[in-house]
């Protein structure tokens, strides 16, 4: 199973917005059962987590760099995890991915992918012009 990120592409001006979506490539993989995170990788840099959601526990967590600008949410009907990105900055330019993340027994998620996760897919490109 892969988690496919979409919604990027093209060039967005500083201050612009985008809606990114994460969907499972196979049926039967119910996203709200898992804690799901969004990650991004800028050219020449390591992949880093930006937001995660543990939908059935109504828990979200954000990296400081995106807090207040990005909003993660789950759509149970569509089986997607979405990332609304607003007030975009050039430093947000990266390929964005989604993946299952580590979680705690009391319903929190962490910006760290599951150790065994390797199906990152191609991600979706977000390019912000200055």
């Amino acid at each position: 199973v892969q988690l496919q990120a979409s919604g990027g592409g093209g060039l967005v001006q500083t201050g612009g917005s985008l809606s990114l979506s994460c969907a499972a490539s196979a049926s039967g993989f119910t996203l709200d059962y898992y804690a799901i995170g969004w990650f991004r990788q800028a050219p020449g840099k390591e992949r880093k987590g930006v937001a995660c959601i543990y939908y059935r526990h109504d828990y979200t967590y954000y990296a400081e760099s995106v807090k207040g600008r990005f909003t993660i949410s789950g759509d149970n009907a569509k089986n997607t995890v979405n990332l609304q990105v607003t007030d975009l900055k050039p430093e947000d330019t990266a390929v964005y991915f989604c993946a299952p993340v580590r979680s705690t027994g009391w319903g929190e998620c962490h910006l760290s992918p599951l150790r065994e996760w390797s199906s990152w897919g191609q991600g979706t490109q977000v390019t912000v012009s200055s």
Side-chain angles (χ1 to χ4, degrees):
V1 174
Q2 276 193 348
L3 296 188
Q4 297 174 334
S6 62
L11 192 64
V12 181
Q13 290 188 338
T14 295
S17 302
L18 281 173
S19 292
L20 307 183
S21 184
C22 173
S25 63
S27 61
F29 190 95
T30 306
L31 290 178
D32 70 349
Y33 183 81
Y34 298 90
I36 302 294
W38 277 92
F39 297 78
R40 66 185 182 187
Q41 187 168 20
K45 296 188 177 181
E46 291 186 352
R47 187 158 43 211
K48 289 186 178 180
V50 296
C52 67
I53 184 169
Y54 207 166
Y55 182 76
R56 59 188 180 140
H57 293 285
D58 196 25
Y59 181 87
T60 58
Y61 182 81
Y62 298 90
E64 282 298 321
S65 59
V66 306
K67 199 174 290 186
R69 301 187 298 120
F70 289 13
T71 302
I72 191 169
S73 62
D75 187 328
N76 215 14
K78 295 182 179 179
N79 196 27
T80 59
V81 172
N82 306 313
L83 187 68
Q84 181 72 26
V85 299
T86 64
D87 190 23
L88 282 164
K89 304 176 181 181
E91 51 264 41
D92 294 320
T93 295
V95 179
Y96 284 69
F97 304 85
C98 53
V101 296
R102 294 170 58 191
S103 60
T104 66
W106 49 91
E108 298 176 340
C109 58
H110 295 283
L111 297 180
S112 180
L114 294 179
R115 185 178 300 178
E116 63 272 24
W117 186 258
S118 59
S119 302
W120 286 95
Q122 295 184 339
T124 189
Q125 177 71 48
V126 173
T127 305
V128 185
S129 64
S130 57

